């Protein structure tokens, strides 16, 4: 049975990889429609022939790798369950202590370490691609340092979350999903509060924006948007990447306006102001809280579906896995597999909502700055700098894009300029 399932998964994964490769490298078209050729939305008008070639290559490889990682993750969970590794991880923890608060962290460490090792080739491939195409500038040793920081942060947070979750499953057999959902509200709010001041500084160095004149202009926009900020933070990212970014994050007293130094180095001040106005638009339109509400709604459905399915799955295959009940930590890979599949199924809807919010933020920014040239310039430079595809294939857009495509954003700007009353 185990051998048959393994072979079926290998064959299915290979067929999937072949189809995705054919789709991305042979069937999909990355060009812009004829109606927009020669306009600001046409990359041929602002990218060199070599940049266009590199952009298309990088986009295809990056998308291919991203699509491969989804079923690959599912395969890991099936492998851990089917070959008895989950039972071994639990037994190792029980050999140290019979206490659940010891068994769970030990299990999480072993499962996370195994997953990290198995997925490392994909991570390394992804990094190698970004280095090859000039996006990633980080030394391998520094990259590994960040990987280890992420690994141990994930271990700590996951141990707490899973420990509490399985306590609830054991304590409330029929209502654990509702109890777990109730705890998500304070947890997510707490994470939003501490992320900017506790977790983010573990990866990067934050300082006050060195360009005080630009900082004053940004704070002027913040004041106009009623954002309570008295400084702008700059992140030293040029040692890690050539990509650009800016954001407004945090809640309450931990709210921060943040700029990567790559953004200030590569964009003109008016372009930076447009980007910051976009980020402030998210704050003004309460997208942060909207994301929180959306996450809570989706998690409610996800936890309930997991409750309905996990019991049936364990009843059918639990003995083969060495799981004595649903509350046995051995069932964790099955629960993670359910969450991952549900997340994949829901992703087109979530991303569509995100794209709508991003377009609203674009419109807010252009109305606030009233500078179409700066907006167009910033989007075109972002495209060149990150080698983004202007018009990605439909599957890439629906399953990977949380922002409107650059073609859509540039078309919106062109429409705004055409609709603006002439002076």
């Amino acid at each position: 049975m185990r051998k048959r399932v393994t072979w079926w998964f290998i064959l299915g994964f290979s067929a999937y990889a072949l189809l995705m490769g054919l789709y991305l490298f042979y069937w999909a078209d990355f060009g812009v429609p004829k109606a927009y050729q020669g306009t600001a939305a046409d990359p041929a008008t602002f990218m060199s022939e070599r940049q266009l070639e590199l952009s298309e290559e990088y986009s295809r490889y990056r998308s291919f790798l991203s699509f491969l990682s989804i079923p690959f993750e599912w395969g890991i969970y099936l492998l851990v369950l089917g070959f008895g590794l989950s039972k071994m991880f639990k037994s190792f923890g029980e050999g140290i202590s019979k206490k659940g608060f010891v068994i769970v962290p030990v299990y999480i460490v072993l499962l996370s370490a195994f997953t990290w090792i198995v997925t490392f080739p994909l991570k390394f491939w992804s990094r190698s691609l970004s280095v090859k195409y000039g996006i990633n500038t980080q030394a391998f040793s520094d990259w590994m340092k960040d990987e280890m920081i992420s690994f141990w942060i994930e271990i700590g947070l996951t141990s707490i979350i899973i420990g509490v979750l399985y306590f609830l499953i054991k304590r409330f057999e029929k209502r654990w999903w509702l109890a777990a959902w109730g705890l998500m509200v304070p947890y997510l709010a707490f994470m939003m509060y501490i992320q900017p001041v506790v977790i983010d500084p573990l990866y990067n160095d934050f300082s006050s924006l060195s360009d005080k004149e630009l900082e004053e202009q940004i704070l002027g926009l913040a004041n106009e948007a009623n954002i309570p900020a008295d400084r702008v933070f700059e992140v030293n990212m040029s040692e890690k990447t050539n990509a650009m970014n800016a954001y407004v994050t945090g809640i309450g007293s931990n709210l921060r306006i943040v700029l990567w130094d790559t953004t200030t180095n590569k964009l003109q001040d008016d372009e930076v102001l447009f980007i910051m106005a976009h980020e402030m638009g998210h704050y003004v339109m309460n997208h942060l809280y909207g994301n929180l509400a959306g996450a809570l709604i989706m998690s409610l459905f996800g936890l309930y579906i997991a409750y309905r399915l996990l019991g049936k799955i364990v009843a059918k295959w639990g003995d083969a896995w060495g799981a004595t009940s649903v509350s046995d930590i051995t069932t964790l890979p099955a629960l993670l597999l359910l969450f991952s599949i549900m997340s994949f199924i829901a992703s087109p809807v979530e991303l569509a909502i995100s794209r709508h919010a991003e377009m609203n933020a674009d419109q807010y920014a252009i109305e606030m700055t009233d500078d179409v040239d700066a907006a167009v310039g910033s989007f075109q430079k972002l495209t060149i700098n990150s080698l983004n595809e202007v018009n990605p294939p439909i599957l890439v857009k629906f399953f990977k894009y949380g922002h409107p495509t650059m073609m859509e954003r540039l078309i919106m700007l062109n429409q705004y300029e055409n609709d603006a009353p002439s002076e």
Side-chain angles (χ1 to χ4, degrees), residues 18-28 60 393-396:
L18 176 61
L19 286 173
M20 289 308 305
L22 290 171
Y23 173 73
L24 290 169
F25 290 95
Y26 295 97
W27 300 337
R60 291 182 193 274
I394 194 71
L395 286 182
V396 176

Side-chain angles (χ1 to χ4, degrees), residues 32-43:
V32 297
K34 274 190 174 182
Y36 301 110
Q37 291 178 4
T39 68
D42 184 356

